[in-house]
Amino acid sequence: MTVGGAGPRMLLCLFNICHAMGSRMDPFEEKLRRLKEAFKTGKTKSAKFRAEQLRNLSRFLQHNSKQLRDALAGDLGKSALESDISEIILCQNEVDLALKNLQTWMKDESVSTNLLTKLSSAFIRKEPFGVVLIIAPWNYPLNLLIVPLVGAIAAGNCAVLKPSEISKNTEKVLAELLPQYLDPSCFTVVLGGPEETGQLLKHKFDYIFFTGSPQVGKIVMTAAAKHLTPITLELGGKNPCYVDDDCDPQTVANRVAWFRYFNAGQTCVAPDYILCSQEMQERLVPALQNAITRFYGDNPQTSPNLGRIINQKHFKRLQGLLGCGRVVIGGQSDEGECYIAPTVLVDVRESEPVMQEEIFGPILPLVTVRSLDEAINFINQREKPLALYAFSNNSQVVNQMLERTSSGGFGGNDGFLYLTLPAMPLGGVGNSGMGRYHGKFSFDTFSHQRACLLRSPGMEMLNDLRYPPYGPWNQQFISWAMGSQSCTLL
Amino acid sequence: MERQVQRLRQAFRSGRSRPLRFRQQQLEALRRMVQEREKDILAAIAADLCKSELNAYSHEVITILGEIDFMLANLPELASAKPAKKNLLTLLDEAYVQPEPLGVVLIIGAWNYPFVLIMQPLVGAIAAGNAAIVKPSELSENTAKLLAKLLPQYLDQDLYAVLNGGVAETTELLKQRFDHILYTGNTAVGKIVMEAAAKHLTPVTLELGGKSPCYIDRDCDLDIACRRITWGKYMNCGQTCIAPDYVLCEASLQDQIVQKIKETVKDFYGENIKESPDYERIINLRHFKRLQGLLEGQKIAFGGETDEVTRYIAPTVLTDVDPNSKVMQEEIFGPILPIVSVKNVDEAINFINDREKPLALYVFSHNNKLIKRVIEETSSGGVTGNDVIMHFTVNSLPFGGVGASGMGAYHGKYSFDTFSHQRPCLLKGLKGESANKLRYPPNSQSKLGWAKFFLLKQFNRAGLLTLLVACLAVVAAVFIKASAKPSRSPRPQLASCLERRDPDVAKWGSGKRDLCGAQLSCQGWLRPNPKLQGSRCLFGVQIET
């Protein structure tokens, strides 16, 4: 009897305990609830709030530039110049651009109407999605978190920021200092590895912005599908770099080497491999050697300008890749420092690992092709890359490469310089991702474009033509009214 | 199926679908198809939904003709590269954003507007230069069969294909890899489509549904509001994704609204609605039963008659509806209009915000401020004020949902963008390598200052002016110095001083290195400002005379 009576109550108790434990085990639930509530109050929607937060972000970048530089140096051995131009300045640029254009971006966009709706006002309202999640990787741990955040703030969203746990120095600075600058009820930094991220992704967000690898991209998209959450995926890929015979090898070598070895090759838009003719290869290798020596000295390991590999796991992976083909430049590595010398490989076979995966390190394989056509075929047989580079004095060669291939972005006769232009979107296509951001594109990414049509409440006579009962004249009239204009009727 | 997709991909790879001329030809062929085979198309739609040909024309055909005309008129502009603003680093280069086709796209249509929901996305896919597979709904089988017959007769068969089939075929189809999927249908299947797309990292546009609220303010012309709502609600027998799903109003308005809708229904469809050629039927028995179920236990103000044989459900209004009842839990998608009373606009806004974001939202009021407030404080795919449905007809507006009502948008220009990749292109020359030295290692403090200068300058007129003034000042200073002390030699020109690291210049100048590797600091007149590093926007140089 007593047992029977206590049973359900005990179960309930147990349930409550489990429930309590469950919520304790899920550290995100409480934070997310708070953000959702804050968004509901509508406080993030005012231009004033957005500008204030952006200015705070700007202050964060300025006040803490030393800590940030140190953290980046600690994580990736970045030199001050690299930290500045690839992280801090670009973030600052985005903040400034957003602050300058906020009012314009936020404005309702008026659009034309057709005859049937001539007396109405039609406009597109840019409204925030709600609570967005931004997941950043470790290779540009500051830039790839802050730049999307600028868009999210400018568009009036609340945001959950998940810096990479691998770049732990930067993660620490972000987790400790960033919340001091931003409104804590609307923005939060969450920490954790794959397990925590998996847990985080179970929650419902209104938008997810992910930068990382295609494999994890698929996991993120699958998780997003459960809640019908729209996503932007910024992934990677093997970015080809075609070098035509008609160009100065030293110039090409300078530009390619710089972009390849920048951040020790750990850049998603870096040229991954070179496609060129056998003759070009022979001219290019000494030129590359020359460039590397000039940039990093005779012993690159002592150069303050060359970064290090993020961790042992990636170091080992890259060390394995050094065995592919034949090393003509570099090839040295030092496990203690996670150092891999700027390396050039030749005689690489397509089936070797270095041509199968994104390299993401200071290794540059040269693959020889006989012609431009062969190069284009080579590229088109593979996944669409995030970036594609072509070098030639002949603009027709560059244009052919551009027209007959597909890639996230394209650089003619230079590396990923287009990233420095906020007027250019950054984003992949196919396996290299979906969606785009930077500047106004970030704002659009984090905004729902809401179609609004305000009709006059009067003039009902004009509507009679669309109401049943229908006669042939309705059809004729509607056709005519719609005819010349860019418009349609249901 | 795999072979089919492979075949299309091959054709796409040939590049045939890319030239503007080709796209225009295909769109013209599509228009010819609609015009020449109008009778067949109308008949097929009529058979699927018991729709009069007049309705079929104005609901579906007219939209497509408008869309094709729009695309043909605007294609050259839409497909052209858009120049991008440059910064100092790229001032001499070509920078633009080039729209390019994605590849092979999949379009999955729905049965409620079986023609338009296939054709309108297809127009966008063709215009953007893609190959496409369309999969019409198997529930509207007449239209599906007709599309499978007609499209290959008019369009390039290697690039565009129609696949018919049910759930099994669609599941199989979704295993294939596409470059974009546009799906129109319901939320549950939307999730399945997106999950399938995730396996191949395929971007998706999901056009889903939802319960689109319609708020009627007290301050409004009820006659007109009810007329417009009646039209939008009972069109296609309520089987419209953006139909007003339910009415929110103050309790005192309820009776008047019922009365006026009742009168309008009579106006529109006559005394005997069953006989009206303008009133459609429910698509199939399953949906008929579902709708019948929604009527159970509700207070029917008028209508409510059903006929299982012909799948007829009369235009119905329900009053005093409990928000927790079944009819308020799912998208109705039938000719049933529940009225839920709220105390005021605040409660209406809360009511809307407590639910999933709808595909459409309607507000009727004379008070523009109130309409704006409702728009401001809620979210939905689209909004029409003082009318229903009409925002769909303006193709300068994007059509699409948000949250549970979908993602992505199409129609007109937005269709083109949906099926395009915006590829940023920066084309430089191979000349002027010396200017690049600033970015190459080894690095120095002064390089940093210059990098900031080049990267941070948003290129605008004010910036240009400052630069110009600075340059002039430098030139003037050099000139003054030069003429003041003619005995000093050698005296290189500023231009060459900027250009090259001349050993003489090194001696002549104070020896500070700048980012070009040149000796720029002509006796300290021009040097990077150390104070400015780390701060925003600097011009990075300071002039001393």
Side-chain angles (χ1 to χ4, degrees), chain B residues 170-313:
Chain B
T170 311
T171 311
E172 192 54 38
L173 192 59
L174 284 171
K175 285 191 189 143
Q176 309 302 316
R177 180 173 182 176
F178 294 96
D179 298 291
H180 194 96
I181 299 175
L182 186 144
Y183 166 79
T184 309
N186 65 53
T187 304
V189 180
K191 290 179 185 174
I192 296 172
V193 170
M194 189 168 171
E195 233 178 288
K199 298 214 165 52
H200 298 294
L201 287 171
T202 303
V204 287
T205 301
L206 301 178
E207 298 287 342
L208 312 175
K211 289 184 83 65
S212 300
C214 178
Y215 177 69
I216 305 179
D217 185 32
R218 196 196 333 204
D219 174 19
C220 107
D221 186 332
L222 276 186
D223 285 316
I224 291 176
C226 292
R227 222 173 146 75
R228 295 180 180 180
I229 291 167
T230 308
W231 170 73
K233 177 73 194 185
Y234 301 118
M235 158 197 286
N236 205 28
C237 210
Q239 301 165 108
T240 307
C241 51
I242 49 170
D245 189 276
Y246 61 94
V247 164
L248 289 173
C249 65
E250 290 172 27
S252 59
L253 295 179
Q254 193 170 264
D255 290 343
Q256 292 178 66
I257 291 172
V258 168
Q259 195 51 38
K260 287 182 200 299
I261 292 182
K262 195 174 170 186
E263 280 163 21
T264 314
V265 166
K266 208 164 106 189
D267 262 11
F268 286 0
Y269 305 109
E271 286 289 357
N272 191 349
I273 303 169
K274 264 190 187 175
E275 306 282 289
S276 166
D278 297 317
Y279 193 69
E280 288 87 358
R281 297 295 181 269
I282 303 303
I283 182 80
N284 61 17
L285 209 59
R286 188 170 68 87
H287 280 281
F288 175 85
K289 297 256 191 213
R290 179 182 62 82
L291 288 162
Q292 250 183 342
L294 296 184
L295 292 174
E296 272 162 30
Q298 296 290 348
K299 205 162 118 192
I300 296 173
F302 76 84
E305 302 86 14
T306 59
D307 175 14
E308 189 168 324
V309 180
T310 56
R311 300 186 311 275
Y312 165 82
I313 294 183

Side-chain angles (χ1 to χ4, degrees), chain A residues 62 112 127 129 255 258 384 402 406-407 410 412-414 450-451 453 455 466 470 486 488-490, chain B residues 55 58-59 63 100 102 177 228 357 375 379 383 385 387 393 395-396 423-424 426 428 433 439 536:
Chain A
Q62 283 163 25
S112 59
E127 60 171 44
F129 279 107
R255 295 184 185 185
W258 188 69
K384 293 180 184 176
L402 176 56
S406 179
S407 64
F410 185 88
N413 288 321
D414 211 335
R450 192 180 190 189
L453 181 73
R455 308 260 294 145
R466 73 178 200 217
Y470 295 122
S486 54
T488 57
L489 176 84
L490 230 219
Chain B
N55 275 8
S58 61
H59 292 176
T63 312
E100 60 166 42
L102 295 167
R177 180 173 182 176
R228 295 180 180 180
K357 294 178 182 176
I375 295 179
S379 180
V383 188
D387 208 336
T393 71
N395 72 358
S396 48
R423 192 182 193 188
L426 181 69
K428 283 179 83 86
E433 182 63 2
R439 68 184 191 211
R536 358 188 341 218

